[in-house]
Amino acid sequence: MSRDGEFLEYVAAHRGRMLRTARLLAGGDHHWAEDLVQTALTKLYVHWGKVRQTEGVSSYADRILINAFIDERRRFWRSRETSTAEFDDPQPPRGPDHADRLTVLDALARLPRRQRAVVVLRYFQDLDVAAVARVMDCSEGTVKSQTARALTKLRDLIDDPLDTLERAR
């Protein structure tokens, strides 16, 4: 199979998962999530020749997605962009409980970016501490401390954050 064919096959199989993760990172902003996934897939394609020969393609793609999300704050145009009520955004996919989903998205949007990334990777992608540390290119201790800080803040924002996170999945 050709390089492009392999890449397209990977995108077809994993884009949905990446988009769900990006939506959580972007606090429910579908357009920003699409931008994050497109950025990640573009960077993945550039390095596809090297990456496809290793076993950790999904981990590498997750790392690119997380870095794109964290680095987004450095972009000047993003800080000037504002949302308006004039355009209808597509409805989010139906989950087990729509109210819980909105509560979680609102609470996630209030977390700092690295804490939000840790929560999404740990509780929505079910990655262990070591895997999150590899994806975020930091120590396991950093993952643990960011998780603890995030859960403390989520406790202030949500009555029972772990129960609500589980119901919102």
Side-chain angles (χ1 to χ4, degrees), residues 17 56 58-64 66 117-118 120-123 125-144 147:
R17 178 189 59 81
S58 291
S59 294
Y60 188 80
D62 286 343
R63 177 181 288 177
I64 293 171
I66 296 296
V118 167
V120 168
L121 292 172
R122 291 276 291 131
Y123 296 102
Q125 286 198 356
D126 291 325
L127 297 181
D128 62 19
V129 171
V132 173
R134 282 192 305 274
V135 169
M136 293 186 63
D137 197 24
C138 63
S139 71
E140 291 183 21
T142 299
V143 171
K144 291 175 185 178
T147 302

Side-chain angles (χ1 to χ4, degrees), residues 95-153:
D97 187 344
H98 190 64
D100 285 343
R101 182 181 203 76
L102 292 176
T103 300
V104 169
L105 286 175
D106 180 58
L108 284 173
R110 293 179 185 199
L111 292 177
R113 291 174 190 263
R114 291 185 68 78
Q115 289 178 16
R116 191 182 322 171
V118 167
V119 169
V120 168
L121 292 172
R122 291 276 291 131
Y123 296 102
F124 289 92
Q125 286 198 356
D126 291 325
L127 297 181
D128 62 19
V129 171
V132 173
R134 282 192 305 274
V135 169
M136 293 186 63
D137 197 24
C138 63
S139 71
E140 291 183 21
T142 299
V143 171
K144 291 175 185 178
S145 67
Q146 291 292 313
T147 302
R149 288 184 188 122
L151 290 177
T152 298
K153 185 157 185 173

